[in-house]
Amino acid sequence: MKDNREFDVIIYGASGFTGQLIAEYMATRAAEETGLRWALAGRNADKIAAVVAESGLPADVPVIAADSADQDAMNALAARTKVILTSVGPYQMYGSQLVQACASNGTDYVDLCGEPNWMREMIDQHQAAAQASGARIVFSCGFDSIPSDLGVHFLQQQATAQLGKPLPHVRGRVRAMNGGASGGTVASMQATMGAAMKDPAVGALLKNPYGLANPGFDGPKQPSSHKPSYDEGLGSWAAPFVMAVINIPNVHRSNFVQGYSYGEDFTYSEMLLTGPGEKGEKIANAMAVPSLTGKGDTPQPGEGPSREEQVAGNFDLLFVGENDAGDTVKVSVAGDRDPGYGSTSRMISEAALTLAFDNVETAGGMWTPASALGDKLITRLGAHAGLTFNVE
């Protein structure tokens, strides 16, 4: 039925900061993907038309007006396309009707969500509908959490090839990350923190590494990622990493929905390396107290790093897998653009194109990037998006 739809991909939120980057990247990919039918959508068609003109996008790209608060409009939008790619956040404020529409209409869906409280709510509400309709709902298809989720997936593949089975203990370590935040990302984090302050259950979910996995699963105690520590194996201090709050639950969800393919004894931590010695320790301690107050120079929605900063940015993540016998496998995932925007716009676009064109066999349901798209997405990211997956 999806083959008869008007579009392959609709980008929802094309007038936002990240949405515009996604639209520009999709325009370059449309010239390479034979027959790609795509459109731009959002609440205000005039704003999207202005983006088309200002960014030099193809003048004939269709523009669709649809309000995220209007369930009928979301249903109509979902029914027109194979895949919806949405950058409209905070998702807990503007995303629920679109997920419902996709789950009901059998439409595949990708987003940039880093809000585990909302994701848990969507999983609980729409898993059955997505399974029935065949819709693949794939959350967190940007810097959170594609590098982490696919990095662990890639490591476990290498471990299985080398050792015959996956490794039970993995730690992710950010070795480099150069790039700025946008106002949209800050707004999503603030919305999540606000929800946690109002509802203790949300706060508890954010602290639970299994919060997006099976609610009844009582797995092994996970290593702390919340305070500075010295990583003896790597000879470096490590600081809490702001994205770990979403990356860790996503990695555990991948393990769960794949039938505990990493093992029921699987542990995962994620931190940012700050270097050796007293200097590394000082940096780690300073980074342990992040500020997201929304005051001072905090970017506002619609703002973000410059084009020059996006191109100059990069990231490099190391993943170390171990078992109790002392076997070790190391892999890395690196990107050649600003992680939050230059690379994220490419990652989510390739995730959407993977669903649209690569004969993904994943059944309907609520998924993570690794569990839904796996090797096919790794191939696309390497070929088009500037990401590299290497064994070290």
Side-chain angles (χ1 to χ4, degrees):
M1 291 177 61
K2 291 180 185 177
D3 291 338
N4 298 324
R5 296 193 179 183
E6 185 178 358
F7 300 109
D8 298 306
V9 179
I10 290 178
I11 299 170
Y12 189 67
S15 62
F17 184 86
T18 306
Q20 182 171 344
L21 297 176
I22 293 167
E24 292 173 2
Y25 179 72
M26 193 66 76
T28 67
R29 296 292 287 115
E32 302 165 344
E33 287 284 348
T34 303
L36 171 60
R37 303 163 302 157
W38 63 296
L40 304 176
R43 185 179 63 176
N44 190 315
D46 290 338
K47 287 185 177 180
I48 299 174
V51 166
V52 170
E54 294 168 5
S55 302
L57 296 174
D60 59 351
V61 62
V63 173
I64 304 166
D67 191 330
S68 64
D70 184 337
Q71 189 64 65
D72 289 340
M74 293 296 96
N75 284 329
L77 189 70
R80 296 178 69 176
T81 186
K82 294 180 183 178
V83 185
I84 284 187
L85 180 167
T86 174
S87 62
V88 179
Y91 292 93
Q92 59 200 283
M93 297 173 65
Y94 305 115
S96 299
Q97 286 78 8
L98 182 53
V99 171
Q100 179 177 334
C102 289
S104 299
N105 286 276
T107 303
D108 295 337
Y109 165 104
V110 293
D111 70 17
L112 299 173
C113 188
E115 305 163 38
N117 53 311
W118 177 78
M119 293 161 61
R120 179 75 260 174
E121 182 181 343
M122 293 297 99
I123 291 166
D124 294 341
Q125 290 183 4
H126 302 300
Q127 171 74 8
Q131 288 177 315
S133 72
R136 282 80 63 90
I137 309 296
V138 188
F139 299 116
S140 306
C141 291
F143 184 58
D144 51 331
S145 297
I146 278 179
S148 299
D149 197 31
L150 287 181
V152 174
H153 167 86
F154 181 65
L155 182 145
Q156 297 292 25
Q157 284 188 316
Q158 302 307 314
T160 301
Q162 294 178 32
L163 305 171
K165 58 182 178 180
L167 290 165
H169 310 300
V170 178
R171 62 190 194 274
R173 296 293 183 261
V174 181
R175 294 191 292 198
M177 186 178 70
N178 298 297
S182 83
T185 295
V186 173
S188 288
M189 290 182 173
Q190 290 173 337
T192 298
M193 289 189 293
M197 292 177 67
K198 294 178 181 178
D199 185 351
V202 173
L205 177 70
L206 296 179
K207 295 177 183 178
N208 182 3
Y210 301 112
L212 296 179
N214 184 347
F217 180 65
D218 184 19
K221 180 177 175 58
Q222 296 295 307
S224 173
S225 297
H226 304 302
K227 56 185 179 181
S229 62
Y230 186 72
D231 190 319
E232 292 192 10
L234 298 176
S236 174
W237 280 89
F241 179 46
V242 68
M243 297 299 182
V245 70
I246 180 61
N247 293 339
I248 291 173
N250 269 327
V251 168
H252 281 291
R253 181 163 179 80
S254 288
N255 186 34
F256 162 60
V257 297
Q258 295 178 112
Y260 298 106
S261 59
Y262 307 157
E264 292 193 20
D265 58 346
F266 175 72
T267 68
Y268 180 66
S269 68
E270 188 169 280
M271 302 186 78
L272 188 151
L273 298 178
T274 59
E278 292 183 2
K279 181 179 179 181
E281 182 179 12
K282 184 177 181 180
I283 296 171
N285 285 324
M287 295 185 68
V289 188
S291 175
L292 282 171
T293 63
K295 300 177 181 178
D297 295 329
T298 301
Q300 300 302 305
E303 299 177 346
S306 68
R307 302 292 174 138
E308 292 76 13
E309 290 171 329
Q310 292 168 34
V311 173
N314 60 17
F315 64 86
D316 178 20
L317 278 64
L318 174 69
F319 299 89
V320 182
E322 300 172 319
N323 61 21
D324 295 336
D327 299 309
T328 301
V329 173
K330 295 180 181 179
V331 306
S332 63
V333 179
D336 65 356
R337 292 287 189 275
D338 160 72
Y341 301 92
S343 277
T344 279
S345 59
R346 296 178 173 198
M347 285 188 266
I348 191 171
S349 296
E350 295 302 335
L353 293 172
T354 302
L355 285 167
F357 291 113
D358 292 354
N359 297 315
V360 174
E361 297 178 356
T362 306
M366 318 295 277
W367 299 98
T368 57
S371 60
L373 307 174
D375 296 343
K376 291 183 177 181
L377 180 54
I378 288 177
T379 298
R380 277 190 172 271
L381 294 173
H384 306 290
L387 269 67
T388 56
F389 292 74
N390 292 315
V391 179
E392 300 211 344

Short mmCIF file of all heavy atoms in Angstrom, two decimals, residues 200-235:
data_model
loop_
_atom_site.label_atom_id
_atom_site.label_comp_id
_atom_site.label_asym_id
_atom_site.label_seq_id
_atom_site.Cartn_x
_atom_site.Cartn_y
_atom_site.Cartn_z
N PRO A 200 7.36 13.26 39.74
CA PRO A 200 8.46 12.42 40.21
C PRO A 200 8.67 11.17 39.36
O PRO A 200 9.79 10.67 39.26
CB PRO A 200 8.04 12.05 41.64
CG PRO A 200 7.11 13.16 42.05
CD PRO A 200 6.38 13.55 40.81
N ALA A 201 7.60 10.67 38.75
CA ALA A 201 7.73 9.47 37.92
C ALA A 201 8.61 9.74 36.70
O ALA A 201 9.34 8.86 36.24
CB ALA A 201 6.35 8.99 37.48
N VAL A 202 8.54 10.97 36.16
CA VAL A 202 9.39 11.33 35.03
C VAL A 202 10.85 11.37 35.47
O VAL A 202 11.75 10.87 34.78
CB VAL A 202 8.96 12.68 34.43
CG1 VAL A 202 9.96 13.14 33.36
CG2 VAL A 202 7.56 12.58 33.83
N GLY A 203 11.10 11.96 36.65
CA GLY A 203 12.45 11.99 37.17
C GLY A 203 13.01 10.60 37.37
O GLY A 203 14.18 10.33 37.06
N ALA A 204 12.19 9.70 37.88
CA ALA A 204 12.62 8.32 38.08
C ALA A 204 12.94 7.64 36.75
O ALA A 204 13.91 6.89 36.65
CB ALA A 204 11.54 7.54 38.83
N LEU A 205 12.13 7.92 35.74
CA LEU A 205 12.36 7.34 34.42
C LEU A 205 13.70 7.82 33.86
O LEU A 205 14.46 7.03 33.27
CB LEU A 205 11.23 7.72 33.47
CG LEU A 205 11.39 7.25 32.01
CD1 LEU A 205 11.24 5.74 31.93
CD2 LEU A 205 10.38 7.92 31.11
N LEU A 206 14.00 9.10 34.02
CA LEU A 206 15.24 9.65 33.47
C LEU A 206 16.47 9.02 34.13
O LEU A 206 17.54 8.97 33.52
CB LEU A 206 15.27 11.16 33.67
CG LEU A 206 14.19 11.96 32.93
CD1 LEU A 206 14.33 13.45 33.24
CD2 LEU A 206 14.25 11.73 31.43
N LYS A 207 16.32 8.55 35.35
CA LYS A 207 17.44 7.93 36.07
C LYS A 207 17.54 6.44 35.81
O LYS A 207 18.51 5.80 36.22
CB LYS A 207 17.28 8.17 37.57
CG LYS A 207 17.37 9.63 37.98
CD LYS A 207 17.13 9.79 39.47
CE LYS A 207 17.16 11.26 39.88
NZ LYS A 207 16.88 11.42 41.34
N ASN A 208 16.54 5.86 35.14
CA ASN A 208 16.47 4.42 34.94
C ASN A 208 17.06 4.04 33.59
O ASN A 208 16.49 4.37 32.55
CB ASN A 208 15.00 3.97 35.01
CG ASN A 208 14.86 2.47 34.86
OD1 ASN A 208 15.84 1.73 34.76
ND2 ASN A 208 13.62 2.00 34.84
N PRO A 209 18.19 3.34 33.56
CA PRO A 209 18.79 2.96 32.27
C PRO A 209 17.89 2.05 31.44
O PRO A 209 18.04 1.97 30.22
CB PRO A 209 20.09 2.27 32.66
CG PRO A 209 19.88 1.82 34.07
CD PRO A 209 18.98 2.85 34.69
N TYR A 210 16.96 1.36 32.11
CA TYR A 210 16.04 0.46 31.41
C TYR A 210 14.69 1.13 31.14
O TYR A 210 13.71 0.46 30.83
CB TYR A 210 15.81 -0.80 32.24
CG TYR A 210 17.06 -1.58 32.55
CD1 TYR A 210 17.54 -1.66 33.85
CD2 TYR A 210 17.76 -2.22 31.54
CE1 TYR A 210 18.69 -2.39 34.15
CE2 TYR A 210 18.91 -2.95 31.83
CZ TYR A 210 19.37 -3.02 33.13
OH TYR A 210 20.51 -3.74 33.42
N GLY A 211 14.64 2.46 31.23
CA GLY A 211 13.37 3.17 31.12
C GLY A 211 12.66 3.01 29.80
O GLY A 211 11.44 3.15 29.74
N LEU A 212 13.38 2.69 28.74
CA LEU A 212 12.76 2.49 27.42
C LEU A 212 12.71 1.02 27.03
O LEU A 212 12.26 0.70 25.94
CB LEU A 212 13.50 3.29 26.36
CG LEU A 212 13.47 4.81 26.53
CD1 LEU A 212 14.26 5.50 25.43
CD2 LEU A 212 12.04 5.34 26.56
N ALA A 213 13.18 0.14 27.90
CA ALA A 213 13.15 -1.29 27.62
C ALA A 213 11.89 -1.89 28.21
O ALA A 213 10.87 -1.21 28.39
CB ALA A 213 14.42 -1.94 28.18
N ASN A 214 11.93 -3.17 28.53
CA ASN A 214 10.78 -3.84 29.13
C ASN A 214 10.56 -3.29 30.54
O ASN A 214 11.46 -3.41 31.39
CB ASN A 214 11.06 -5.35 29.19
CG ASN A 214 9.88 -6.14 29.70
OD1 ASN A 214 8.93 -5.57 30.25
ND2 ASN A 214 9.93 -7.45 29.52
N PRO A 215 9.42 -2.70 30.82
CA PRO A 215 9.20 -2.10 32.14
C PRO A 215 9.39 -3.08 33.29
O PRO A 215 9.74 -2.69 34.40
CB PRO A 215 7.75 -1.61 32.07
CG PRO A 215 7.48 -1.43 30.62
CD PRO A 215 8.26 -2.50 29.93
N GLY A 216 9.20 -4.36 33.04
CA GLY A 216 9.33 -5.35 34.10
C GLY A 216 10.70 -5.97 34.22
O GLY A 216 10.93 -6.82 35.09
N PHE A 217 11.64 -5.56 33.35
CA PHE A 217 12.96 -6.18 33.34
C PHE A 217 13.84 -5.60 34.44
O PHE A 217 14.03 -4.39 34.52
CB PHE A 217 13.62 -5.99 31.98
CG PHE A 217 15.00 -6.59 31.88
CD1 PHE A 217 15.18 -7.96 31.97
CD2 PHE A 217 16.11 -5.79 31.70
CE1 PHE A 217 16.44 -8.53 31.86
CE2 PHE A 217 17.38 -6.34 31.58
CZ PHE A 217 17.55 -7.72 31.67
N ASP A 218 14.40 -6.47 35.27
CA ASP A 218 15.30 -6.04 36.34
C ASP A 218 16.68 -6.57 36.01
O ASP A 218 17.09 -7.63 36.45
CB ASP A 218 14.81 -6.57 37.69
CG ASP A 218 15.66 -6.06 38.85
OD1 ASP A 218 16.37 -5.06 38.66
OD2 ASP A 218 15.61 -6.67 39.93
N GLY A 219 17.40 -5.81 35.19
CA GLY A 219 18.71 -6.24 34.75
C GLY A 219 19.81 -5.92 35.74
O GLY A 219 19.55 -5.46 36.85
N PRO A 220 21.05 -6.18 35.34
CA PRO A 220 22.17 -5.94 36.26
C PRO A 220 22.33 -4.45 36.55
O PRO A 220 21.95 -3.59 35.76
CB PRO A 220 23.38 -6.47 35.48
CG PRO A 220 22.96 -6.38 34.04
CD PRO A 220 21.49 -6.67 34.03
N LYS A 221 22.91 -4.16 37.71
CA LYS A 221 23.19 -2.78 38.08
C LYS A 221 24.16 -2.20 37.06
O LYS A 221 25.18 -2.82 36.74
CB LYS A 221 23.80 -2.72 39.48
CG LYS A 221 24.13 -1.30 39.94
CD LYS A 221 24.66 -1.30 41.35
CE LYS A 221 25.11 0.09 41.78
NZ LYS A 221 24.02 1.09 41.70
N GLN A 222 23.84 -1.02 36.57
CA GLN A 222 24.65 -0.40 35.53
C GLN A 222 25.75 0.47 36.13
O GLN A 222 25.58 1.07 37.20
CB GLN A 222 23.76 0.45 34.63
CG GLN A 222 22.71 -0.34 33.87
CD GLN A 222 23.32 -1.30 32.87
OE1 GLN A 222 24.13 -0.91 32.03
NE2 GLN A 222 22.95 -2.58 32.95
N PRO A 223 26.90 0.55 35.47
CA PRO A 223 27.97 1.43 35.95
C PRO A 223 27.52 2.88 35.90
O PRO A 223 26.74 3.27 35.05
CB PRO A 223 29.12 1.16 34.98
CG PRO A 223 28.47 0.60 33.75
CD PRO A 223 27.27 -0.15 34.23
N SER A 224 28.01 3.67 36.82
CA SER A 224 27.61 5.07 36.91
C SER A 224 28.18 5.87 35.74
O SER A 224 29.35 5.71 35.37
CB SER A 224 28.09 5.69 38.22
OG SER A 224 27.84 7.09 38.22
N SER A 225 27.35 6.72 35.18
CA SER A 225 27.79 7.68 34.16
C SER A 225 27.54 9.10 34.62
O SER A 225 27.64 10.04 33.83
CB SER A 225 27.04 7.43 32.85
OG SER A 225 27.30 6.15 32.32
N HIS A 226 27.24 9.27 35.91
CA HIS A 226 26.74 10.54 36.41
C HIS A 226 27.73 11.37 37.20
O HIS A 226 27.42 12.50 37.58
CB HIS A 226 25.49 10.30 37.28
CG HIS A 226 24.41 9.54 36.58
ND1 HIS A 226 23.84 9.98 35.40
CD2 HIS A 226 23.81 8.36 36.90
CE1 HIS A 226 22.92 9.10 35.03
NE2 HIS A 226 22.89 8.12 35.90
N LYS A 227 28.93 10.82 37.47
CA LYS A 227 29.91 11.62 38.19
C LYS A 227 31.30 11.34 37.64
O LYS A 227 31.56 10.26 37.08
CB LYS A 227 29.85 11.31 39.68
CG LYS A 227 30.03 9.86 40.05
CD LYS A 227 29.84 9.66 41.55
CE LYS A 227 29.99 8.20 41.95
NZ LYS A 227 29.78 8.01 43.40
N PRO A 228 32.22 12.31 37.76
CA PRO A 228 33.56 12.14 37.21
C PRO A 228 34.24 10.87 37.74
O PRO A 228 34.08 10.51 38.91
CB PRO A 228 34.30 13.39 37.68
CG PRO A 228 33.23 14.40 37.90
CD PRO A 228 32.05 13.62 38.41
N SER A 229 34.99 10.22 36.86
CA SER A 229 35.71 9.02 37.26
C SER A 229 36.95 8.88 36.37
O SER A 229 37.03 9.48 35.30
CB SER A 229 34.83 7.78 37.14
OG SER A 229 34.43 7.58 35.79
N TYR A 230 37.89 8.07 36.84
CA TYR A 230 39.10 7.83 36.08
C TYR A 230 38.98 6.51 35.34
O TYR A 230 38.70 5.47 35.95
CB TYR A 230 40.32 7.81 36.99
CG TYR A 230 41.62 7.70 36.23
CD1 TYR A 230 42.11 8.79 35.50
CD2 TYR A 230 42.36 6.52 36.24
CE1 TYR A 230 43.30 8.69 34.79
CE2 TYR A 230 43.55 6.42 35.53
CZ TYR A 230 44.01 7.50 34.82
OH TYR A 230 45.20 7.42 34.10
N ASP A 231 39.14 6.54 34.03
CA ASP A 231 39.06 5.34 33.20
C ASP A 231 40.47 4.78 33.07
O ASP A 231 41.27 5.25 32.25
CB ASP A 231 38.47 5.68 31.83
CG ASP A 231 38.13 4.45 31.01
OD1 ASP A 231 38.93 3.50 31.02
OD2 ASP A 231 37.07 4.45 30.35
N GLU A 232 40.80 3.78 33.89
CA GLU A 232 42.16 3.24 33.90
C GLU A 232 42.53 2.60 32.57
O GLU A 232 43.67 2.69 32.12
CB GLU A 232 42.31 2.23 35.04
CG GLU A 232 42.23 2.86 36.43
CD GLU A 232 42.66 1.90 37.52
OE1 GLU A 232 43.19 0.83 37.18
OE2 GLU A 232 42.47 2.24 38.69
N GLY A 233 41.58 1.94 31.95
CA GLY A 233 41.87 1.28 30.69
C GLY A 233 42.28 2.24 29.59
O GLY A 233 43.05 1.88 28.70
N LEU A 234 41.78 3.47 29.66
CA LEU A 234 42.08 4.46 28.63
C LEU A 234 43.03 5.54 29.13
O LEU A 234 43.43 6.43 28.36
CB LEU A 234 40.79 5.10 28.12
CG LEU A 234 39.80 4.13 27.47
CD1 LEU A 234 38.51 4.85 27.09
CD2 LEU A 234 40.41 3.46 26.24
N GLY A 235 43.38 5.52 30.41
CA GLY A 235 44.32 6.48 30.96
C GLY A 235 43.82 7.91 30.91
O GLY A 235 44.59 8.84 30.65
#
